[in-house]
Amino acid sequence: GENVEQHPSTLSVQEGDSAVIKCTYSDSASNYFPWYKQELGKRPQLIIDIRSNVGEKKDQRIAVTLNKTAKHFSLHITETQPEDSAVYFCAATARGVNAGGTSYGKLTFGQGTILTVHP
Amino acid sequence: GAVVSQHPSWVICKSGTSVKIECRSLDFQATTMFWYRQFPKQSLMLMATSNEGSKATYEQGVEKDKFLINHASLTLSTLTVTSAHPEDSSFYICSALAGLGYTDTQYFGPGTRLTVL
């Protein structure tokens, strides 16, 4: 099955700096890579995702890059703000539709990164 | 984005009792839902995949007779923790797939904090 490794486990930056979180995956069939932000006691929130047909995707201060050859993908947050402080999880899966017409492809999550942005 | 609700948000029960948690997709139909368990300061661990109208698929190590999953409609899946014990205390989160296949996206419910005394 899929195995996702995430680094670093903790990341501390000053407000305004950039933050980068990296993940590697093992299954070359994986084609969908979402990133989730989770605040304490709350649900994971999808912040950005990338599919295997593109190498980079950007949404304002957040960007994700994907290197399929090396099987790694990264989250980049620029101009960090204190409200960016949270736990970030990467995930990977091979998405598709089976013969019965239902989706397959369970997410495998990384271990999480605790991001702290100091004012 | 799509909205997934979960009820209750928290529950405290005595050891040996059963607890039912509901997961609903509010503005979309979800043929596939997932149930996760998350211990403090840890990642999400998938317990089972729930497909509407069929039996759930459990992950290795998850007791299907203890964690009963029912996905009776396209908007509702339930998880019943039977004969709960203190070690079952955890944060249970469901998610639902919006869309189909390659373009679908997974949205999470707000979670249920279960405390077994």
Side-chain angles (χ1 to χ4, degrees):
Chain A
E2 177 65 277
N3 182 49
V4 178
E5 296 288 332
Q6 182 173 345
H7 298 281
S9 56
T10 60
L11 180 58
S12 183
V13 300
Q14 288 295 126
E15 182 176 3
D17 289 349
S18 294
V20 180
I21 303 171
K22 299 181 179 181
C23 289
T24 60
Y25 62 99
S26 62
D27 189 350
S28 57
S30 288
N31 57 16
Y32 176 62
F33 309 90
W35 285 89
Y36 290 89
K37 174 184 180 183
Q38 187 180 28
E39 297 177 356
L40 189 62
K42 297 190 176 181
R43 79 182 83 195
Q45 296 270 17
L46 178 69
I47 56 172
I48 197 166
D49 58 10
I50 191 167
R51 301 182 194 271
S52 59
N53 57 346
V54 298
E56 184 174 358
K57 184 177 178 181
K58 189 173 182 180
D59 182 3
Q60 299 183 337
R61 297 186 297 109
I62 296 173
V64 57
T65 58
L66 171 65
N67 183 326
K68 288 188 294 182
T69 303
K71 291 190 210 154
H72 66 71
F73 56 112
S74 300
L75 177 71
H76 304 253
I77 306 174
T78 59
E79 300 172 32
T80 54
Q81 302 166 1
E83 50 266 38
D84 293 330
S85 297
V87 181
Y88 291 80
F89 293 99
C90 64
T93 186
R95 279 272 195 261
V97 180
N98 61 27
T102 56
S103 294
Y104 65 80
K106 54 190 181 184
L107 288 174
T108 299
F109 284 85
Q111 296 84 350
T113 296
I114 301 172
L115 174 64
T116 304
V117 181
H118 299 282
Chain B
V3 179
V4 177
S5 71
Q6 220 174 306
H7 178 81
S9 55
W10 59 271
V11 57
I12 301 172
C13 69
K14 293 182 179 180
S15 185
T17 60
S18 294
V19 174
K20 179 185 283 188
I21 303 170
E22 293 186 348
C23 177
R24 293 181 186 274
S25 55
L26 298 185
D27 51 0
F28 65 100
Q29 293 184 329
T31 55
T32 303
M33 292 184 174
F34 301 93
W35 286 95
Y36 295 84
R37 182 165 52 183
Q38 186 177 34
F39 292 108
K41 298 185 178 181
Q42 293 189 20
S43 188
L44 289 85
M45 292 177 53
L46 180 65
M47 300 175 67
T49 302
S50 170
N51 286 305
E52 186 267 337
S54 63
K55 290 183 178 180
T57 302
Y58 290 81
E59 294 299 299
Q60 192 172 10
V62 178
E63 300 174 59
K64 61 181 181 181
D65 294 330
K66 181 170 182 62
F67 299 99
L68 301 178
I69 292 172
N70 184 281
H71 194 156
S73 76
L74 288 173
T75 59
L76 173 65
S77 177
T78 60
L79 167 69
T80 301
V81 184
T82 62
S83 187
H85 291 285
E87 57 266 29
D88 298 323
S89 298
S90 187
F91 193 49
Y92 291 87
I93 309 177
C94 71
S95 69
L97 280 180
L100 187 65
Y102 184 70
T103 60
D104 62 27
T105 302
Q106 192 166 334
Y107 295 94
F108 285 85
T112 297
R113 176 79 55 192
L114 171 63
T115 302
V116 185
L117 303 177

